[in-house]
Amino acid sequence: MRIPLPPSIAEVEALACRRGVQFAVEIGLHVVMFESDSLIVIQALKEGSSGHSVFNNLIEDSLFQAAKLHCYDFCHVKRSCNTVADALAKKAKSGPELQVWLEDLPGDIAPLAYLDVH
């Protein structure tokens, strides 16, 4: 999903996380692990507050939405372990406003996802 004029990297990460949580709720998932390479966002989600008024509302909204799930966790991953998310972010820049794949992945993303799980 494209985010027009992102204010800061942390806000973009917080926006992406909130959208990921909303999406998980929308499609009826019950047990979800959310990953991000943004340590500041993951720490804020784990602590329940960012201490940064700029994106604290996004953190609070993510946690409010996540409470609808049966079980969830927010985990920090190294940037090198986040190649699928990076490729999807680049793809979003040039694609339609919103793209969703529930079963099949695009041909350029599938090999990265396969390497990520193996």
Side-chain angles (χ1 to χ4, degrees):
M1 180 174 173
R2 278 188 278 143
I3 299 172
L5 299 172
S8 72
I9 293 172
E11 285 179 81
V12 171
E13 292 285 346
L15 281 164
C17 186
R18 181 183 68 178
R19 186 61 190 116
V21 174
Q22 288 173 332
F23 185 66
V25 170
E26 287 170 5
I27 64 171
L29 298 179
H30 300 287
V31 179
V32 185
M33 169 124 4
F34 300 98
E35 296 179 341
S36 173
D37 60 14
S38 174
L39 184 58
I40 190 169
V41 170
I42 293 299
Q43 285 175 333
L45 288 161
K46 288 188 169 280
E47 294 169 5
S49 173
S50 72
H52 299 279
S53 59
V54 178
F55 64 91
N56 196 54
N57 61 329
L58 298 171
I59 298 300
E60 290 175 355
D61 194 37
S62 294
L63 293 171
F64 176 78
Q65 294 293 324
K68 298 175 184 177
L69 302 168
H70 177 70
C71 182
Y72 63 91
D73 195 11
F74 297 99
C75 296
H76 177 255
V77 295
K78 295 179 182 178
R79 188 171 304 250
S80 61
C81 298
N82 218 5
T83 56
V84 175
D86 184 55
L88 288 170
K90 289 176 182 169
K91 190 174 193 66
K93 286 181 180 179
S94 61
E97 188 171 321
L98 178 64
Q99 300 176 56
V100 177
W101 306 279
L102 293 177
E103 294 181 21
D104 296 325
L105 292 173
D108 57 333
I109 303 297
L112 297 171
Y114 178 78
L115 290 173
D116 195 41
V117 296
H118 287 84

